[in-house]
Amino acid sequence: MPAKLDKVVKPRWAAKVLGIDYADLPKLDRPWTKRDVRSLRDSRPGWLTEARRRHATRVQQANESRAAELDAELARLGYDAPDLGTVDQAALYIDGALTHLTTVTRCSEDEADRAAWRRWRKSMAAEEDYADDEDAW
């Protein structure tokens, strides 16, 4: 019976576990194994560190781009009220904006929630504090 570390893995899985883009994963003359992945994680060669930095930069840029798209979509839909820091704004206005955003853009609820936190941080925090106070009773 082969050892657990000798299990063959898909290259895309190896890249994901290593925290790099698939294109940066070296090509082997044999299939990738869990042992190969662990060995690279433990040894931390310079190329892996650089590949991780590039990957992190690309992910950050993609996240910022998506955030800008959702923010622009909220503005286009007419949700441009300033952050009042009130529970009422969060419960009435922002909840409607999130529903509208997920319906129009088909973004996930998590993405919409992050967009609301970026745009209306004080009101979102006020609603969260209010919910925590209600839970305490």
Side-chain angles (χ1 to χ4, degrees):
M1 180 172 178
K4 189 174 181 180
L5 291 177
D6 292 330
K7 181 179 178 189
V8 173
V9 297
K10 294 181 179 180
R12 290 204 184 273
W13 180 87
K16 182 178 179 179
V17 169
L18 291 170
I20 64 175
D21 290 329
Y22 174 73
D24 289 332
L25 191 68
K27 307 298 181 234
L28 300 179
D29 57 350
R30 58 183 170 63
W32 277 88
T33 65
K34 286 188 174 186
R35 183 178 313 279
D36 297 323
V37 174
R38 178 174 284 178
S39 174
L40 281 173
R41 279 187 14 210
D42 292 345
S43 66
R44 291 187 228 142
W47 69 265
L48 180 58
T49 302
E50 282 304 311
R52 284 178 171 162
R53 283 189 186 120
R54 282 192 306 275
H55 178 71
T57 299
R58 282 188 213 120
V59 168
Q60 182 179 359
Q61 289 171 343
N63 288 340
E64 289 170 0
S65 175
R66 181 64 172 158
E69 287 173 20
L70 293 177
D71 196 51
E73 191 63 26
L74 281 168
R76 188 186 72 73
L77 293 169
Y79 295 100
D80 53 2
D83 189 356
L84 303 175
T86 66
V87 173
D88 287 343
Q89 184 180 31
L92 302 173
Y93 183 79
I94 297 172
D95 285 349
L98 298 185
T99 300
H100 202 170
L101 185 64
T102 56
T103 303
V104 170
T105 67
R106 302 269 191 246
C107 71
S108 70
E109 289 181 17
D110 286 341
E111 279 185 307
D113 197 51
R114 284 191 298 272
W117 272 97
R118 282 188 301 275
R119 188 172 264 242
W120 300 292
R121 181 168 302 281
K122 291 187 294 185
S123 291
M124 294 290 286
E127 181 183 45
E128 197 170 82
D129 290 344
Y130 179 79
D132 289 345
D133 289 344
E134 289 293 310
D135 290 342
W137 288 98

